[in-house]
């Protein structure tokens, strides 16, 4: 079961600030002294994960105030380039032109993988379609397939939901599903696709719209939506998205999740990243239905 609801978060337009008063005996490697701040923003897929990491981190480092915001991977990268965030959370790698922009401003991006994620394709639980191939998904999201009856469902026009273009999930899904990893492909989302501001927004629309189809990270799965089984190609086995199938690389739509810093992390950022990569930090990954680095 997804743990996001317990965090009480909306995945966009969120500012989750966690602050603690400094207390004697706080453990860990964060610098001591005057209260310190740590700004983290970027991927909406990762915003709940970042919040959970922050909550666990300040139990050991109460002298650090941590702010976690969403807005998409592109937003986090832009903030890193402009020097307005300490850590960018990203569900995609930085693009070469983004790295060049950062270097032009004297910032050398440092990439740190922090977890794995599978992207689940979701429909309403009342939709009788339960499995699709990557080719079928590509045709649906490109607007070539428009009616559920064409893929074994009931008569009804499909409502395609996608993340906004600033989202790393939007980019990854386009490159790996619509374009099938072909960098020369011009395949793109249907012009009819509704661009949603967050993974939570896609989840909520699918939960109440029997004709909708969208995609979300594993951390957004619950009983209100149905995750489709996906086959890499016709004749291949259909595989449900789960931490286990992502770890085994059986599930076709999975990806690494990253932190980016401007140069080698130091101070509170280093302490936070060290915590995230520790056994305790990776346990938080599992608790939120993402996939730890070492599983």
């Amino acid at each position: 079961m997804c743990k996001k609801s317990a965090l009480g978060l909306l995945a966009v337009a969120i500012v989750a600030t966690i602050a603690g008063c400094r207390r004697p005996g706080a453990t860990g490697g964060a610098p001591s002294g005057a209260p310190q701040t740590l700004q983290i923003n970027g991927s909406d897929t990762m915003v709940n994960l970042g919040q959970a990491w922050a909550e666990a981190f300040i139990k050991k480092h109460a002298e650090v105030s941590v702010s976690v915001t969403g807005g998409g991977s592109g937003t986090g990268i832009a903030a890193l380039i402009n020097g307005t965030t300490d850590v960018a959370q990203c569900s995609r790698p930085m693009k070469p032109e983004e790295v060049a922009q950062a270097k032009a401003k004297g910032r050398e991006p440092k990439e740190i993988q922090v977890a794995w994620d599978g992207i689940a394709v979701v429909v309403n639980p009342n939709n009788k379609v339960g499995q699709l191939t990557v080719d079928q998904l590509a045709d649906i999201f490109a607007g070539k397939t428009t009616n559920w009856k064409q893929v074994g469902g009931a008569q009804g026009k499909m409502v395609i939901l996608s993340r906004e273009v600033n989202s790393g999930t939007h980019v990854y899904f386009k490159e790996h599903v619509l374009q099938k990893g072909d960098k020369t492909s011009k395949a793109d989302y249907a012009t009819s696709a509704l661009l949603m501001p967050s993974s939570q927004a896609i989840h909520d629309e699918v939960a109440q719209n029997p004709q909708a189809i969208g995609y979300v990270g594993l951390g957004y799965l619950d009983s209100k939506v149905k995750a489709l089984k996906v086959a890499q190609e016709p004749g291949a086995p259909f595989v449900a998205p789960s931490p286990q199938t992502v770890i085994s690389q059986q599930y076709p739509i999975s990806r690494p999740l990253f932190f980016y810093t401007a140069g080698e992390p130091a101070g509170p950022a280093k302490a936070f990243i060290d915590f995230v990569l520790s056994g305790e930090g990776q346990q938080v990954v599992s608790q939120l239905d993402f996939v730890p680095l070492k599983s």
Side-chain angles (χ1 to χ4, degrees), residues 23-73:
R23 66 181 189 278
T27 60
S32 60
Q36 301 167 77
T37 61
L38 178 63
Q39 181 70 41
I40 302 167
N41 71 311
S43 169
D44 283 326
T45 295
M46 297 175 68
V47 72
N48 291 345
L49 181 57
Q51 167 77 3
W53 273 327
E55 288 180 349
F57 174 76
I58 66 160
K59 292 178 182 178
K60 295 177 175 292
H61 305 289
E63 72 281 2
V64 182
S65 174
V66 184
S67 175
V68 181
T69 63
S73 297

Side-chain angles (χ1 to χ4, degrees), residues 211-234:
Q211 308 304 327
I213 182 170
Y215 51 82
V216 296
L218 293 188
Y220 288 85
L221 295 182
D222 59 21
S223 61
K224 296 179 181 179
V225 297
K226 180 170 71 173
L228 299 180
K229 294 181 179 180
V230 178
Q232 181 65 58
E233 56 191 22

Side-chain angles (χ1 to χ4, degrees), residues 176-195:
H176 291 266
V177 176
L178 279 76
Q179 299 175 348
K180 302 181 180 69
D182 180 2
K183 294 185 180 298
T184 66
S185 173
K186 301 299 183 183
D188 208 341
Y189 292 96
T191 55
S192 61
L194 303 178
L195 301 184

Side-chain angles (χ1 to χ4, degrees), residues 134 172 230-232 239 249-254:
V134 170
Y172 183 91
V230 178
Q232 181 65 58
V239 181
Q249 298 184 319
Q250 293 174 290
Y251 184 66
I253 316 172
S254 58

